Amino acid sequence: MTDASINASTVQQGDAEFGDYFALLKPRVMSLVVFTALVGLLAAPVGVHPVIGFSAILFIAIGGGASGALNMWWDADIDQVMKRTKSRPIPAGKVEPGEALSLGLALSGLSVIMLALATNVFAGAFLAFTIFFYVVIYTMWLKRATPQNIVIGGAAGAFPPVIGWIAATGSMAVEPWLMFALTFMWTPPHFWALALFMRSDYDDAGVPMLTVTHGRRSTRKHILIYTALLALLAVGTALSGVGGPIYLVVALVLNALFLHGAWKISRRDEDDSEADNFKVERSFFKLSLLYLFLHFGAILAEAVLKPYGLGGW
């Protein structure tokens, strides 16, 4: 373990409430996990009983929350020095690190076993791998070791639609991996935009984010490159089994806007950014939140309308 428990123990402990334990699960991240997993499950070419479908999404959500709790346990030392995270339950002294560890491990085991029982062993095993990847490969190893941390770590957040698909079908296919790739390629420009106007946080915490190791100018170029590749992938997905005319329109509009935003960011210098408090970068970050939601919403619309002859090609 890191010195998280030592640092956290210096903070005055208070009485933890239900909301503090729930906050350990990173509910905002969990909401993305739930939505993308649901899209993966419903986009699968097989029908799923509502009870089984609900159970699958519930246990995938619990697994995502477990990952969040374990992440907060390990990262409590750096969360304590970052403005964006210092109010989290452990650095705020509301939950002890050991409690977060116990909660994360318990929920991990529960989610994996119950998903396997509710759907199939393959789905449970894949959820276990996802938790391991996020907690061990990303959080414990790569996050503090390489400026490519968020690129590699983005894979963990991209697995839920694949798990949803496997829960429904018990097998792999190209389509869920296109949904995986969509989230995977979206993650770097999304987080690098945040890092542009939150760089001091990563400096203070000693996290080798790209803005810290290579500077903001290089980060701006990386955002543009990844956004261009993302646009090709997103529009190309319209021609797949999860695409269709609704998705194509959404993808064309959103990727035009996203590319325009990335181009504006690449042309900015630091004086301009400091002068307007990173207005363009903040706007791009907000658009990135809408970007992923609407792409997956379009995939969901295609899947829901397809039985009525209105979705898909």
Side-chain angles (χ1 to χ4, degrees):
M1 182 181 174
T2 65
D3 56 349
S5 58
I6 298 175
N7 289 342
S9 65
T10 63
V11 183
Q12 182 64 38
Q13 296 291 325
D15 293 329
E17 299 178 353
F18 173 79
D20 299 319
Y21 292 109
F22 185 65
L24 284 174
L25 309 184
K26 294 189 173 182
R28 282 190 289 185
V29 176
M30 191 193 297
S31 64
L32 177 62
V33 168
V34 168
F35 182 59
T36 57
L38 177 64
V39 173
L41 185 141
L42 294 179
V46 296
V48 178
H49 191 282
V51 174
I52 295 177
F54 174 81
S55 299
I57 298 305
L58 173 63
F59 297 128
I60 292 171
I62 292 174
S67 300
L70 293 172
N71 171 269
M72 287 199 191
W73 161 70
W74 185 265
D75 277 351
D77 57 332
I78 61 176
D79 283 349
Q80 194 171 352
V81 299
M82 295 176 68
K83 294 177 183 178
R84 187 171 62 88
T85 57
K86 65 181 180 180
S87 62
R88 286 176 172 175
I90 298 176
K94 296 178 180 179
V95 176
E96 294 186 7
E99 293 178 314
L101 173 60
S102 298
L103 179 64
L105 291 175
L107 292 181
S108 294
L110 173 69
S111 63
V112 169
I113 293 172
M114 293 306 295
L115 182 63
L117 292 174
T119 59
N120 56 76
V121 174
F122 190 13
F126 208 93
L127 177 60
F129 170 76
T130 300
I131 295 172
F132 174 82
F133 190 97
Y134 181 72
V135 176
V136 178
I137 303 299
Y138 169 63
T139 301
M140 295 183 177
W141 178 24
L142 296 174
K143 182 174 182 178
R144 309 189 195 200
T146 170
Q148 295 300 310
N149 46 19
I150 205 62
V151 177
I152 303 166
F159 284 132
V162 181
I163 303 173
W165 184 285
I166 294 173
T169 67
S171 62
M172 291 286 194
V174 173
E175 288 82 3
W177 288 107
L178 286 173
M179 289 184 273
F180 166 91
L182 192 63
T183 307
F184 178 76
M185 292 299 295
W186 162 87
T187 302
H190 166 73
F191 275 101
W192 283 334
L194 173 67
L196 285 173
F197 57 85
M198 296 291 291
R199 175 180 166 173
S200 61
D201 263 11
Y202 298 107
D203 277 325
D204 295 341
V207 176
M209 188 64 78
L210 193 64
T211 49
V212 176
T213 60
H214 290 67
R216 285 177 173 154
R217 171 50 51 197
S218 177
T219 303
R220 293 174 187 279
K221 293 179 181 177
H222 276 73
I223 288 175
L224 180 59
I225 293 170
Y226 270 82
T227 300
L229 294 174
L230 172 62
L232 291 174
L233 170 69
V235 174
T237 299
L239 303 177
S240 72
V242 294
I246 298 172
Y247 176 88
L248 178 59
V249 171
V250 170
L252 288 172
V253 173
L254 281 175
N255 284 281
L257 293 173
F258 215 47
L259 277 169
H260 179 65
W263 173 254
K264 289 172 65 177
I265 286 177
S266 72
R267 305 294 292 176
R268 302 258 286 174
D269 60 39
E270 299 315 308
D271 290 337
D272 291 337
S273 299
E274 295 284 354
D276 63 9
N277 192 28
F278 297 91
K279 181 179 178 180
V280 173
E281 292 80 359
R282 292 176 188 274
S283 177
F284 181 86
F285 177 75
K286 291 178 180 178
L287 175 62
S288 72
L289 297 173
L290 190 63
Y291 178 97
L292 196 65
F293 174 79
L294 289 179
H295 274 82
F296 273 86
I299 293 174
L300 180 59
E302 297 284 1
V304 171
L305 294 173
K306 189 173 294 185
Y308 304 99
L310 301 174
W313 298 107

